[in-house]
Amino acid sequence: MQLAGVRIGFGLTASYCTIPDVIPALKQLRTAGAELFPIISPYVIKTDTRFGKGEDLHRMLVEITGREPWQSLVEVEPIGPQRLFDLMVVAPCTGTTLSNLAQGVSNTPVTLACKAQLRNERPVVVAVSTNDGLGTNLVNLGLLLNRKFIYFVPFGQDDPERKPNSLVA
């Protein structure tokens, strides 16, 4: 896979249990030559969980991408007018982010980055990770599956018996 010169905005949202699964994909994209621009939801690197410390994730993102994560609406606003990215990825994409994208709400750096990308008819790739993907959020998933320029990483139920509504890419 050769991605030299491809500019990818990479949004991480607060599905803390799947963030560790996303890190190898970031490394793989960087190794393939992609220019990565990390964009994070406000609490992603400010929260310590049983899945890791926010400080460690911050350090890892800077190490992999060579850039400080964009954490504010002001930082991501130029994406649209300047056509900064060839591709925008949201991985993991929480149910809240999924809902905001489906309803056109751009209240976090990740959702505003997606909105900016979509206004230029450029691709957004979503890797869903939500406990209610087959519940309340199913309507939002359906809306996005039908929207132009939004593509999904293949997903499925991660634990059908204990969490029947849960989806993960």
Side-chain angles (χ1 to χ4, degrees):
M1 173 170 59
Q2 288 299 319
L3 297 174
V6 176
R7 297 169 59 90
I8 301 173
F10 203 103
L12 289 98
T13 65
S15 176
Y16 299 104
C17 61
T18 54
I19 288 174
D21 298 330
V22 170
I23 298 303
L26 273 170
K27 290 178 180 177
Q28 190 176 21
L29 289 168
R30 185 73 172 132
T31 299
E35 291 182 59
L36 297 174
F37 297 80
I39 303 166
I40 58 172
S41 291
Y43 295 104
V44 169
I45 61 171
K46 295 178 182 172
T47 305
D48 294 339
T49 71
R50 64 188 168 118
F51 302 103
K53 294 183 179 240
E55 176 182 304
D56 294 339
L57 177 60
H58 178 253
R59 187 178 59 253
M60 220 180 316
L61 289 173
V62 171
E63 182 182 299
I64 294 167
T65 67
R67 293 183 167 86
E68 279 291 325
W70 293 351
Q71 302 178 54
S72 73
L73 298 177
V74 172
E75 288 173 295
V76 301
E77 188 279 329
I79 292 169
Q82 295 177 19
R83 296 180 177 259
L84 293 180
F85 303 143
D86 300 302
L87 174 68
M88 178 70 199
V89 175
V90 182
C93 180
T94 62
T96 300
T97 302
L98 191 72
S99 173
N100 287 342
L101 290 173
Q103 302 304 319
V105 177
S106 51
N107 60 347
T108 70
V110 174
T111 56
L112 183 58
C114 290
K115 178 184 174 186
Q117 184 77 352
L118 291 168
R119 94 177 208 193
N120 291 317
E121 298 185 335
R122 292 187 172 194
V124 173
V125 174
V126 175
V128 68
S129 179
T130 176
N131 284 326
D132 70 339
L134 295 176
T136 305
N137 247 320
L138 185 57
V139 68
N140 297 311
L141 181 62
L143 288 170
L144 290 175
L145 284 167
N146 195 42
R147 192 148 307 152
K148 286 183 177 181
F149 307 107
I150 294 185
Y151 303 89
F152 281 85
V153 173
F155 59 86
Q157 290 178 287
D158 60 325
D159 188 349
E161 294 200 16
R162 292 188 309 151
K163 300 186 307 183
N165 290 331
S166 186
L167 295 175
V168 68

